[in-house]
Amino acid sequence: MESVVQVSGTVISRPPGQENPKMPTGEIEIKVKTAKLLNSCKKLPFEIKDFMKKTEALRLQYRYLDLRSVQMQYNLRLRSQMVMKMREYLCNLHGFVDVETPTLFKRTPGGAKEFIIPSREPGKFYSLPQSPQQFKQLLMVGGLDRYFQVARCYRDEGSRPDRQPEFTQIDIEMSFVDQTGIQSLIEGLLQYSWPSDKDPVAVPFPSMPFAEALASYGTDKPDTRFGMKIVDISDMFRNTEVGFLQDALSKPQGTVKAICIHKGAKYLKRKDIESIRKFAADHFNEEVLPIFLKTNENWNSPVAKFIMEEQGLELVKLLETQEEDVVLLTAGEHKRACSLMGKLRLECADLLEARGVVLRDPALFSFLWVVDFPLFLPKEENPQELESAHHPFTAPHPSDIHLLYTEPHKVRSQHYDLVLNGNEIGGGSIRIHNSELQHYVLATVLKEDVKLLSHLLQALDFGAPPHGGIALGLDRLMCLVTGAPSIRDVIAFPKSFRGHDLMSNAPDSIPPEELKPYHIQVSWPTDAETEKSSLNHPCRSES
Amino acid sequence: MESVVQVSGTVISRPPGQENPKMPTGEIEIKVKTAKLLNSCKKLPFEIKDFMKKTEALRLQYRYLDLRSVQMQYNLRLRSQMVMKMREYLCNLHGFVDVETPTLFKRTPGGAKEFIIPSREPGKFYSLPQSPQQFKQLLMVGGLDRYFQVARCYRDEGSRPDRQPEFTQIDIEMSFVDQTGIQSLIEGLLQYSWPSDKDPVAVPFPSMPFAEALASYGTDKPDTRFGMKIVDISDMFRNTEVGFLQDALSKPQGTVKAICIHKGAKYLKRKDIESIRKFAADHFNEEVLPIFLKTNENWNSPVAKFIMEEQGLELVKLLETQEEDVVLLTAGEHKRACSLMGKLRLECADLLEARGVVLRDPALFSFLWVVDFPLFLPKEENPQELESAHHPFTAPHPSDIHLLYTEPHKVRSQHYDLVLNGNEIGGGSIRIHNSELQHYVLATVLKEDVKLLSHLLQALDFGAPPHGGIALGLDRLMCLVTGAPSIRDVIAFPKSFRGHDLMSNAPDSIPPEELKPYHIQVSWPTDAETEKSSLNHPCRSES
């Protein structure tokens, strides 16, 4: 098994009845004249065919064997083909220039997630960039007016289950373009490069303002393959006697939200509802009330008795409920209540699908643009101060630009996200091309040290054209296209969730004398620190 | 100048006599209806047109302006187009799969030139690979039988005038292939992707054994655009009375070598010859004798009187000398004498071209395969021990495999270099696919710690197919194709020769608290060390 042989002979048909239509070579066999063993194979640690039965740690340790599986071959070959089609579209059909940008760069302000690389100059470090953002903008200033790159990017986030410390993005920037221009470019790109064994991509993609995504789906990346939208039913309860609703509505931005789970009364069990309520209590510290609709007039819920007939009819109308549905209801501040309901919506979809209801067709690819994001968000640690919702180079929405100097928190941006089946697969924006505006945003609004970005500010001063761009996350996109359970299945040699290469055992120790040229030494943690850190990672082995 | 304006109006012909045929838009002008200033340009630090007049430091500091020059636009756009054609050839015409390999890897044995990256685990480091060598071989074991990648590679060599700490190679590996197979693939690749504004590439490329390259050109990367080959004239001097020749010939591998500089007596000045002799004395500690041939019978040289008429005629015949030529002659150990003569050959070519003689046609691209390299070389610091001439995965030449166990220093390899106009632009080999052979080479011949490569040895044990590959240096290739004076002119954002990004000022300091998550601290050098290091880099500024 799995040895490499060189055979010469005559190709003949298989004897009648011995054909195997499942094998590509199932109709033929070879009448061997000579055979030579080129390399033998030792006893395998696992059967190549049993793709899914192995632990992932074992698969990663013997990645070179795992790559022989039909699934990994399909995933990696499709990835190569799709990227090639993207290149044809951009380079050959639309005049883009593939420019390689450096990965040994300087730390960006606040770049806490950037890997650092000691140089041979004492105390001086390079940094591996999280994206070629600055370089792509500088290329626009440099007159390379249509840039793209399949760019390796780096993010040091420690251990994350489905992130990789190095990842790849399709990185695009254009001069003299607006939001619509970038969006139709990307729609055409995906349509052109989409695998021929899938249904073709329909364009243009629908678009949804961020505020609507939040209100209807409780997230900035709605899965629009199914409904079950969040409905605001605050008005129904303005005069309610139910304590926690009354309480919530009396606060600023207090709301009552509901989702209707179609046939929920049929498919969801009592313990499902309990786990949903527990989730809401544990993660959001919120109450969730279920209403079981035996019929539209026969409600089984603790609040039922407080709902007037009129209100009941209103609820049925707003939520379009039918017999055997379940309505989940919560109350609280708008964003928070939406966010909770968004999570429950996905949770309920999982539960229904586990009971055999088909909600999300695996052959369906539902693209969506989410637009009109806020330009700034209050800082989590200090809500009086603002930080960029995406990055400080994002241009404000033209209709809101006057608010920048008076109420910056109200300014919408020209940022756009591309969402596929509830996953963010790309994001971009029109950038600020005016040096003064960029300086104002950095210095006055964000209170950043502008010195660290002086080269970019200076560049904008030398006739920078209006420009914008986007980056698509290639690993995530390929994961969705191939239906792989993890992005590690569309990467040839991924790191484990702890950032290890389980095959070669990277990262590894380096003797102190080899650190000398870089003028660094290891600060070994004390015993107490080690203990604390090993508590965070209770098992040393990942298998 | 260089501001960005949006103009609408009517395109009309320029008035007769005002056309400018040198401009792409020189025949037209626009009758302006509306004009809008999109972004203004401050006073420029240099004129965009004056590409070559600026210092390189200034160009790199304002790279975004430098990129607007006609030359940089041509170089970067041509690079993108050529790489796109290469991808079409490999992916679409020859079934190669573009696979991205990790750049956060583990240090390879002896990888002193690999940048290191501290991880969040105390004392554990990733390493940036010098090439995807191990991964590409593992892909062959994994059944991705035709791999390619435009791969970013890293080499920390400190300050080198025409090297970059990060560079790009066209990286290729194939299963079931021999040396000829890889060579014709690459010939086809270059022919297919060659710019249409140049003369087409003629294939197949000539091939030359390493021993011949050394003997005739004194280098493993001969510039075959011109002759002036090295000739061994040892036999003529077996009974010489000239002291230093006698001396050299009496030693093992002692030889006398000569090159003939056509029309040298006409073009080279006395001081040129003196500088050549000084170079030989300074760098090789060798004497070089010039012979000026006024006519073939009238020699002007200190050795002339010791050369018999018969010897003279032999020399004329061997070197094909003509009137007004100069012969340079040296004596010494074969390799050393060849190497010196190879250097002088190029030196003389420069001198002749400075005097207006055309030796190397700039429109001529002279490709050459250099083959049959030795597999091992004696270590410089300890000539009793052997090291790999290229890397330890290179397969021995099939005809020499028996010598591996008896006289390993005599074994030739299946390595091949691709040379263009005297520059190495690629190198590759057929690899060892047998685990036992690989183990023998690593452990017994090279005395390496096999544990560090155990994953590779293990992989070869699981039915690895015979395989081989090559890597082309893209930056160097583009530099030669565009005729750029430096590889920095074919890279959008290169580092300075000291490894600095002069635009953003990378590498840069990082506050100690940001080093903490990586468990490292800076070991600041003592004053004495600093002084020593600043003597090596006498100027702090690179301008």
Side-chain angles (χ1 to χ4, degrees):
Chain A
M1 280 294 268
E2 298 291 323
S3 292
V4 186
V5 288
Q6 182 178 29
V7 167
S8 69
T10 314
V11 174
I12 55 172
S13 293
R14 290 201 180 188
Q18 294 186 25
E19 301 91 346
N20 182 352
K22 286 182 190 161
M23 276 177 70
T25 58
E27 291 186 5
I28 56 154
E29 54 185 32
I30 295 169
K31 200 171 165 188
V32 177
K33 214 166 160 186
T34 61
K36 189 178 160 190
L37 180 66
L38 295 178
N39 215 353
S40 63
C41 181
K42 278 199 179 169
K43 191 177 171 335
L44 293 165
F46 49 74
E47 291 289 312
I48 305 294
K49 280 183 192 166
D50 299 341
F51 182 64
M52 277 320 177
K53 292 184 195 159
K54 303 156 252 174
T55 66
E56 195 178 41
L58 196 66
R59 287 178 55 204
L60 291 181
Q61 186 187 344
Y62 295 98
R63 187 58 157 186
Y64 42 86
L65 295 177
D66 187 46
L67 289 177
R68 292 185 193 167
S69 67
V70 177
Q71 288 88 339
M72 284 306 301
Q73 290 278 326
Y74 174 78
N75 292 356
L76 293 181
R77 288 172 190 270
L78 184 68
R79 180 177 175 133
S80 169
Q81 284 158 18
M82 255 189 95
V83 171
M84 188 64 202
K85 295 288 276 180
M86 289 183 181
R87 292 179 180 280
E88 286 171 15
Y89 180 84
L90 292 169
C91 236
N92 297 352
L93 302 183
H94 289 87
F96 279 76
V97 184
D98 179 3
V99 181
E100 299 175 60
T101 57
T103 57
L104 295 177
F105 192 46
K106 172 187 157 132
R107 197 152 216 195
T108 43
K113 289 176 181 170
E114 289 172 4
F115 286 101
I116 55 170
I117 303 165
S119 77
R120 286 172 192 259
E121 289 173 66
K124 297 286 178 85
F125 294 80
Y126 297 106
S127 182
L128 292 175
Q130 291 188 59
S131 89
Q133 184 62 35
Q134 289 186 48
F135 288 112
K136 69 200 247 188
Q137 293 193 240
L138 290 168
L139 285 172
M140 295 305 110
V141 182
L144 269 306
D145 53 350
R146 292 184 164 211
Y147 145 88
F148 92 100
Q149 183 182 195
V150 180
R152 192 69 60 91
C153 304
Y154 301 85
R155 197 179 296 149
D156 179 17
E157 299 186 295
S159 308
R160 287 287 199 95
D162 217 22
R163 289 275 180 96
Q164 285 284 301
E166 52 185 319
F167 56 98
T168 304
Q169 63 189 36
I170 309 290
D171 200 47
I172 290 172
E173 195 82 8
M174 281 177 90
S175 294
F176 306 109
V177 72
D178 59 11
Q179 188 158 328
T180 321
I182 296 283
Q183 287 177 353
S184 32
L185 179 84
I186 296 303
E187 288 162 359
L189 174 76
L190 286 166
Q191 194 173 45
Y192 184 86
S193 61
W194 203 247
S196 52
D197 63 348
K198 316 257 177 237
D199 288 341
V201 169
V203 298
F205 302 155
S207 190
M208 187 186 288
F210 166 75
E212 182 188 336
L214 181 69
S216 300
Y217 298 91
T219 174
D220 58 357
K221 37 181 193 280
D223 189 340
T224 46
R225 283 176 300 176
F226 67 106
M228 220 194 279
K229 287 193 202 175
I230 305 165
V231 178
D232 189 299
I233 51 170
S234 310
D235 287 346
M236 285 175 49
F237 293 96
R238 292 285 169 219
N239 306 311
T240 186
E241 291 170 44
V242 186
F244 88 102
L245 299 180
Q246 218 176 28
D247 212 43
L249 285 171
S250 68
K251 287 181 186 151
Q253 297 205 286
T255 56
V256 183
K257 305 283 182 186
I259 55 173
C260 171
I261 306 156
H262 187 55
K263 297 286 171 209
K266 184 174 166 193
Y267 292 107
L268 296 188
K269 299 182 178 154
R270 185 58 59 180
K271 72 159 202 256
D272 296 333
I273 300 293
E274 278 323 299
S275 86
I276 283 169
R277 299 187 70 177
K278 189 170 181 316
F279 175 89
D282 291 354
H283 292 85
F284 286 77
N285 196 23
E286 294 285 2
E287 262 201 85
V288 168
L289 282 186
I291 308 175
F292 290 80
L293 285 79
K294 293 282 187 222
T295 67
N296 268 340
E297 281 79 47
N298 178 1
W299 292 11
N300 183 359
S301 168
V303 284
K305 57 179 171 180
F306 299 105
I307 300 180
M308 318 284 172
E309 197 185 331
E310 217 171 289
Q311 287 174 329
L313 289 175
E314 181 75 11
L315 195 69
V316 166
K317 205 178 116 202
L318 279 172
L319 286 161
E320 296 172 358
T321 56
Q322 297 172 7
E323 281 179 28
E324 299 197 303
D325 288 358
V326 167
V327 170
L328 296 181
L329 186 150
T330 194
E333 184 269 329
H334 172 69
K335 253 193 212 167
R336 208 176 151 75
C338 288
S339 177
L340 167 60
M341 283 321 237
K343 289 244 162 38
L344 297 186
R345 176 179 174 264
L346 295 177
E347 189 62 32
C348 291
D350 287 345
L351 287 167
L352 288 177
E353 288 188 338
R355 308 272 183 275
V357 182
V358 178
L359 267 184
R360 295 167 291 198
D361 177 359
L364 189 68
F365 291 92
S366 186
F367 288 97
L368 174 76
W369 291 109
V370 179
V371 298
D372 293 348
F373 283 86
L375 185 55
F376 307 109
L377 293 174
K379 279 190 188 169
E380 215 158 297
E381 59 291 6
N382 179 4
Q384 296 309 306
E385 289 179 14
L386 292 176
E387 63 186 5
S388 295
H390 294 94
H391 60 59
F393 316 118
T394 310
H397 197 290
S399 330
D400 296 354
I401 204 152
H402 59 285
L403 296 170
L404 199 57
Y405 307 94
T406 50
E407 297 170 288
H409 61 280
K410 286 195 181 164
V411 177
R412 287 167 304 161
S413 71
Q414 294 193 61
H415 179 94
Y416 29 85
D417 267 353
L418 181 58
V419 173
L420 172 57
N421 293 355
N423 297 276
E424 185 203 319
I425 58 158
S429 59
I430 302 304
R431 328 294 184 186
I432 297 171
H433 66 272
N434 179 289
S435 175
E436 273 170 56
L437 179 58
Q438 184 68 76
H439 191 279
Y440 180 82
V441 166
L442 283 169
T444 310
V445 183
L446 299 172
K447 315 216 182 318
E448 293 269 12
D449 180 359
V450 291
K451 274 204 302 276
L452 291 164
L453 287 169
S454 58
H455 53 285
L456 193 78
L457 284 166
Q458 207 172 16
L460 295 182
D461 256 338
F462 290 113
H467 60 285
I470 194 166
L472 302 181
L474 182 61
D475 306 303
R476 174 71 53 204
L477 175 63
M478 289 314 304
C479 187
L480 293 168
V481 170
T482 59
S486 153
I487 59 165
R488 290 185 289 279
D489 292 322
V490 296
I491 296 172
F493 298 100
K495 302 284 187 294
S496 75
F497 73 90
R498 283 185 59 200
H500 287 188
D501 180 329
L502 298 183
M503 187 180 63
S504 74
N505 191 32
D508 206 356
S509 309
I510 287 188
E513 66 271 19
E514 293 188 23
L515 299 178
K516 267 193 185 163
Y518 298 109
H519 309 280
I520 57 167
Q521 54 185 327
V522 176
S523 325
W524 294 102
T526 61
D527 285 355
E529 283 170 341
T530 312
E531 202 161 301
K532 193 177 140 207
S533 122
S534 76
L535 278 175
N536 292 337
H537 299 300
C539 56
R540 285 188 61 193
S541 150
E542 292 184 79
S543 48
Chain B
M1 282 292 271
E2 298 291 323
S3 291
V4 186
V5 289
Q6 182 178 30
V7 167
S8 68
T10 314
V11 175
I12 55 171
S13 292
R14 290 202 179 186
Q18 293 187 24
E19 300 92 348
N20 182 352
K22 285 183 190 162
M23 276 176 71
T25 57
E27 291 187 4
I28 55 156
E29 53 185 33
I30 296 169
K31 201 171 165 187
V32 177
K33 215 164 160 186
T34 63
K36 189 178 162 191
L37 180 66
L38 295 178
N39 215 353
S40 63
C41 183
K42 278 201 176 167
K43 190 176 170 342
L44 292 166
F46 49 74
E47 291 288 314
I48 305 292
K49 280 184 193 167
D50 300 341
F51 181 64
M52 278 319 179
K53 291 185 195 158
K54 305 156 252 174
T55 67
E56 195 178 39
L58 197 66
R59 286 178 54 203
L60 290 182
Q61 187 188 341
Y62 295 98
R63 188 58 159 185
Y64 44 85
L65 295 177
D66 187 46
L67 289 178
R68 292 184 192 167
S69 66
V70 177
Q71 288 88 340
M72 284 306 302
Q73 290 278 328
Y74 174 78
N75 292 356
L76 294 182
R77 286 171 191 269
L78 184 68
R79 179 178 176 134
S80 169
Q81 283 157 19
M82 254 189 96
V83 170
M84 188 64 200
K85 296 288 276 181
M86 289 184 182
R87 292 179 180 281
E88 285 170 15
Y89 180 84
L90 291 168
C91 237
N92 296 353
L93 302 183
H94 290 88
F96 279 77
V97 184
D98 179 2
V99 181
E100 298 175 60
T101 58
T103 57
L104 295 177
F105 192 45
K106 172 188 156 131
R107 197 152 216 196
T108 44
K113 289 175 179 170
E114 289 172 5
F115 286 101
I116 55 170
I117 302 164
S119 76
R120 287 174 191 258
E121 289 173 65
K124 297 288 177 86
F125 294 81
Y126 297 106
S127 181
L128 292 174
Q130 292 188 58
S131 88
Q133 184 62 35
Q134 290 187 46
F135 288 113
K136 68 201 248 189
Q137 293 194 239
L138 291 168
L139 285 172
M140 296 305 110
V141 182
L144 269 305
D145 53 350
R146 293 184 163 210
Y147 146 87
F148 93 100
Q149 184 183 194
V150 180
R152 192 69 60 90
C153 303
Y154 302 85
R155 199 180 294 151
D156 179 17
E157 299 185 296
S159 309
R160 289 285 200 97
D162 216 22
R163 290 275 179 97
Q164 284 285 301
E166 52 184 318
F167 56 98
T168 304
Q169 63 189 35
I170 309 291
D171 200 46
I172 290 172
E173 194 83 7
M174 280 177 91
S175 294
F176 307 108
V177 73
D178 59 12
Q179 187 158 328
T180 321
I182 296 283
Q183 287 177 354
S184 32
L185 180 84
I186 297 303
E187 288 161 0
L189 175 75
L190 286 165
Q191 194 174 44
Y192 184 87
S193 60
W194 205 246
S196 52
D197 63 349
K198 316 260 176 234
D199 289 339
V201 169
V203 299
F205 303 155
S207 188
M208 187 185 289
F210 165 74
E212 183 188 337
L214 180 69
S216 299
Y217 298 91
T219 174
D220 58 357
K221 37 180 194 281
D223 189 339
T224 46
R225 284 175 300 176
F226 68 105
M228 220 194 278
K229 287 192 201 175
I230 304 166
V231 178
D232 189 298
I233 50 170
S234 309
D235 286 347
M236 284 176 50
F237 293 97
R238 292 286 168 217
N239 304 311
T240 187
E241 289 170 46
V242 186
F244 89 100
L245 298 181
Q246 216 174 31
D247 214 43
L249 284 171
S250 68
K251 286 182 188 153
Q253 296 203 286
T255 57
V256 182
K257 306 282 181 186
I259 54 172
C260 171
I261 306 155
H262 188 55
K263 298 284 171 211
K266 183 173 168 192
Y267 292 107
L268 297 189
K269 299 183 178 156
R270 185 57 59 178
K271 71 161 200 251
D272 295 334
I273 300 293
E274 278 322 301
S275 86
I276 283 168
R277 298 186 72 177
K278 190 171 179 317
F279 175 88
D282 291 354
H283 291 86
F284 286 77
N285 195 23
E286 296 282 3
E287 263 201 83
V288 167
L289 282 185
I291 308 174
F292 290 80
L293 285 80
K294 292 284 187 218
T295 69
N296 267 340
E297 282 79 47
N298 180 0
W299 291 10
N300 184 358
S301 167
V303 285
K305 56 179 172 178
F306 297 104
I307 299 180
M308 317 286 172
E309 198 184 331
E310 217 170 289
Q311 287 173 328
L313 289 174
E314 182 74 13
L315 196 68
V316 166
K317 204 177 114 201
L318 280 173
L319 287 161
E320 296 172 357
T321 57
Q322 297 173 7
E323 280 180 30
E324 298 197 305
D325 288 357
V326 167
V327 169
L328 296 181
L329 185 151
T330 194
E333 184 268 330
H334 172 71
K335 253 193 213 167
R336 209 176 149 76
C338 288
S339 176
L340 168 59
M341 283 322 237
K343 291 246 163 37
L344 296 187
R345 175 177 174 266
L346 294 176
E347 189 63 32
C348 293
D350 287 346
L351 287 168
L352 288 176
E353 287 188 339
R355 308 272 184 276
V357 182
V358 177
L359 268 184
R360 295 168 292 197
D361 177 359
L364 188 67
F365 291 92
S366 184
F367 287 98
L368 174 75
W369 291 109
V370 178
V371 297
D372 294 347
F373 282 86
L375 185 55
F376 306 109
L377 292 174
K379 278 190 188 170
E380 216 158 296
E381 59 289 8
N382 179 5
Q384 297 308 306
E385 288 178 16
L386 293 176
E387 63 185 6
S388 295
H390 294 93
H391 60 59
F393 316 117
T394 312
H397 198 290
S399 329
D400 295 354
I401 204 154
H402 59 286
L403 295 172
L404 200 57
Y405 307 94
T406 51
E407 298 171 288
H409 60 280
K410 287 195 178 163
V411 177
R412 287 167 303 162
S413 71
Q414 295 194 62
H415 179 94
Y416 29 85
D417 267 354
L418 182 57
V419 173
L420 172 56
N421 293 354
N423 297 275
E424 185 203 317
I425 57 159
S429 59
I430 302 304
R431 328 295 183 185
I432 298 172
H433 65 272
N434 179 290
S435 173
E436 273 170 57
L437 179 60
Q438 184 67 77
H439 191 279
Y440 180 82
V441 166
L442 284 169
T444 311
V445 183
L446 299 171
K447 315 220 182 315
E448 294 269 12
D449 180 0
V450 290
K451 274 202 302 275
L452 290 164
L453 287 169
S454 59
H455 53 285
L456 194 77
L457 285 165
Q458 208 172 17
L460 295 182
D461 256 338
F462 289 112
H467 61 285
I470 194 165
L472 302 181
L474 182 63
D475 306 303
R476 174 70 54 203
L477 175 64
M478 288 315 303
C479 187
L480 293 168
V481 170
T482 59
S486 153
I487 59 166
R488 290 184 290 278
D489 292 323
V490 295
I491 296 172
F493 298 99
K495 302 284 186 296
S496 76
F497 73 91
R498 281 184 59 198
H500 287 188
D501 180 328
L502 299 182
M503 185 180 64
S504 74
N505 190 32
D508 205 358
S509 310
I510 287 187
E513 66 272 18
E514 292 188 22
L515 299 178
K516 266 194 186 163
Y518 298 109
H519 308 280
I520 56 167
Q521 54 184 318
V522 176
S523 324
W524 292 102
T526 61
D527 284 355
E529 283 170 339
T530 313
E531 202 160 301
K532 194 177 139 206
S533 122
S534 76
L535 278 174
N536 292 335
H537 297 301
C539 55
R540 285 188 61 192
S541 150
E542 293 182 78
S543 49

